[in-house]
Amino acid sequence: MPALAAAALLTGAAVQPAVSATPTRDERPIPASAPASASTSVDKERLDTSGKRSGPTGEDCADAAARARRAGGVKRAYGCLTRLSPAEGKAALRAAAASAGSASGVLAAPLPVNECTGDEDGYWYATRTMQCQIDPNVQYTYFDSNNQVKATALFATAQQLDLKVNSLQWTETDQITMLSHTGTLPAGLGVSWTTNCTAPCAPSSTKPWARTPIADSQNLKSTSTFVAQRPTSGYQYIDVDYQLSIGSPDAIDLLPPITWGGVEVRCDDQYAVTNTGGCVVPWYTPTLKLPRSEYGSSADMIEWAQHNLSGHWGLRGTGQPLHRLQGDSQRRANRNIICGNTKFTPDPNVQSDSCDEFPFAGTYETGALNGITHGKDCAQVTAVSAGTSGDLAVDWPTVTTVGTVTGSEKCVRGHIPAALNSDLGSTYGGFVVSARLGDNDPFWLSITF
């Protein structure tokens, strides 16, 4: 059968240096110069529920004004801070650009900028160590004592949290920009913003702005530092939420502040990764990228399995994520079931042949935990020689099947040159550290070129 590559296609917490996870057969020691491919994906993932934020609307403002009048009348000017729907926000942005004389629809005051630039829709986005949002849907409306609209102002908020996998300290940068306004706003219009984080976060509350004046086209920006109190065991989950009000001493605030959440930070100390503490965004699923140019037939074996076996392990869009298995003894037992000395016979036709298996013994998807008692019951493949350049990834780039494959096998076992097998294992070990994967944490796996 031909090669199958194309066929498949915390107060006072000290920061400690990062070190590798405890070496095992499936998370092999990381070389002094770890492969550059030991990376998490830089692609952001969206938290789909976060764009549906609740907040006062224009209808809430009208109802509040009516109640005030019935209670004795609004004797002086008042203001309402509301959240627009995404459609209303887009319409307001277009109107603001048009009022600024921009035929291209570009605002005179640009939206605030962070890692969510290009995704200014009010949703939270994240990588493993970053979470951000840009929300252009905040509006302030100013009424006189006769209930007539005197002015409006459109605002955008932006936030970005930057975490570290080897530190219990992180920063958050908050921004608010007045994108445009109509009419004459009340004197002393100012912003009040409070950030709250649950224990064990310190400080538990910060106030980047307290009635800080803001004017048309102005951007306010503030960076705060937070620390997780050193976890004693397991994980600590920290929720962060926000409160925003905009108003003036010359206008009654008819509505409560806008509030929102959607931020969760997970910290641990020597739990997910030995000898270091760190924090991640727990709902983000990172991607381990393995290039063929470095791992040759070892990478091809994985891609073949992802596309040709029913498990599709780690194949985003088709299969389910893989999940790290952290226990050393269990990993060794899994490895022995698939590749033990009495269960695998090296092939003299494969250079420095070694037993390579997928899903990894260091994942919960390993065949050894899913009904396989001997590696012979996995699908069998062997590396195919393509030359003698001295570059193993080039000389042994692909695999071909051995015997009959049904497609329903729960694993694949391959005859793969030892260096390719070992280097790929080291990269998985580096990925565990760079993504701070804990026990049962999910991850995707992508074979690249």
Side-chain angles (χ1 to χ4, degrees), residues 40-41 43-47 50 124-133 159-167 169-172 235-240 242 262-268 272 278-287 434-438 441-443:
T40 57
S41 171
D43 301 327
K44 299 192 298 292
E45 184 175 329
R46 189 175 83 170
L47 182 61
S50 61
W124 284 107
Y125 291 80
T127 65
R128 191 66 168 172
T129 56
M130 185 280 301
Q131 188 166 339
C132 64
Q133 68 87 22
Q159 297 158 265
Q160 181 168 321
L161 290 83
D162 291 294
L163 314 174
K164 295 180 181 179
V165 295
N166 61 346
S167 175
Q169 178 175 295
W170 70 93
T171 61
E172 176 176 327
Y235 298 122
Q236 292 184 332
Y237 291 87
I238 297 169
D239 295 316
V240 187
Y242 307 91
V263 171
E264 185 176 56
V265 175
R266 189 189 80 185
C267 299
D268 75 272
C279 302
V280 298
V281 177
W283 57 265
Y284 175 79
T285 303
T287 299
S434 67
R436 200 168 187 87
L437 286 182
D441 273 358
F443 65 96

Side-chain angles (χ1 to χ4, degrees), residues 87-306:
E88 291 171 335
K90 290 179 181 178
L93 285 172
R94 288 193 297 268
S99 67
S102 170
S104 64
V106 177
L107 289 165
L111 290 166
V113 173
N114 62 20
E115 291 295 328
C116 274
T117 294
D119 293 307
E120 299 94 344
D121 55 10
Y123 283 88
W124 284 107
Y125 291 80
T127 65
R128 191 66 168 172
T129 56
M130 185 280 301
Q131 188 166 339
C132 64
Q133 68 87 22
I134 299 176
D135 184 5
N137 301 321
V138 177
Q139 181 168 283
Y140 177 79
T141 307
Y142 175 50
F143 297 83
D144 64 16
S145 58
N146 294 317
N147 202 37
Q148 299 299 308
V149 175
K150 301 298 291 182
T152 62
L154 183 65
F155 295 86
T157 63
Q159 297 158 265
Q160 181 168 321
L161 290 83
D162 291 294
L163 314 174
K164 295 180 181 179
V165 295
N166 61 346
S167 175
L168 296 173
Q169 178 175 295
W170 70 93
T171 61
E172 176 176 327
T173 299
D174 302 312
Q175 300 179 69
I176 184 166
T177 301
M178 187 189 294
L179 301 173
S180 66
H181 82 278
T182 63
T184 302
L185 291 167
L189 189 68
V191 172
S192 295
W193 178 305
T194 302
T195 299
N196 298 300
C197 62
T198 57
C201 174
S204 60
S205 180
T206 64
K207 294 182 180 295
W209 305 288
R211 287 294 188 188
T212 302
I214 189 167
D216 198 10
S217 302
Q218 184 177 4
N219 171 264
L220 301 179
K221 187 174 183 179
S222 175
T223 298
S224 304
T225 299
F226 297 89
V227 181
Q229 296 174 356
R230 186 167 297 283
T232 55
S233 64
Y235 298 122
Q236 292 184 332
Y237 291 87
I238 297 169
D239 295 316
V240 187
D241 59 64
Y242 307 91
Q243 179 176 293
L244 171 66
S245 62
I246 298 175
S248 164
D250 294 340
I252 301 170
D253 293 330
L254 282 187
L255 295 175
I258 293 175
T259 59
W260 69 97
V263 171
E264 185 176 56
V265 175
R266 189 189 80 185
C267 299
D268 75 272
D269 183 29
Q270 305 184 56
Y271 186 67
V273 178
T274 57
N275 299 325
T276 182
C279 302
V280 298
V281 177
W283 57 265
Y284 175 79
T285 303
T287 299
L288 170 60
K289 295 183 177 181
L290 299 171
R292 291 175 171 276
S293 60
E294 293 184 42
Y295 308 112
S297 53
S298 188
D300 189 58
M301 183 188 78
I302 292 172
E303 187 171 56
W304 177 85
Q306 286 184 320

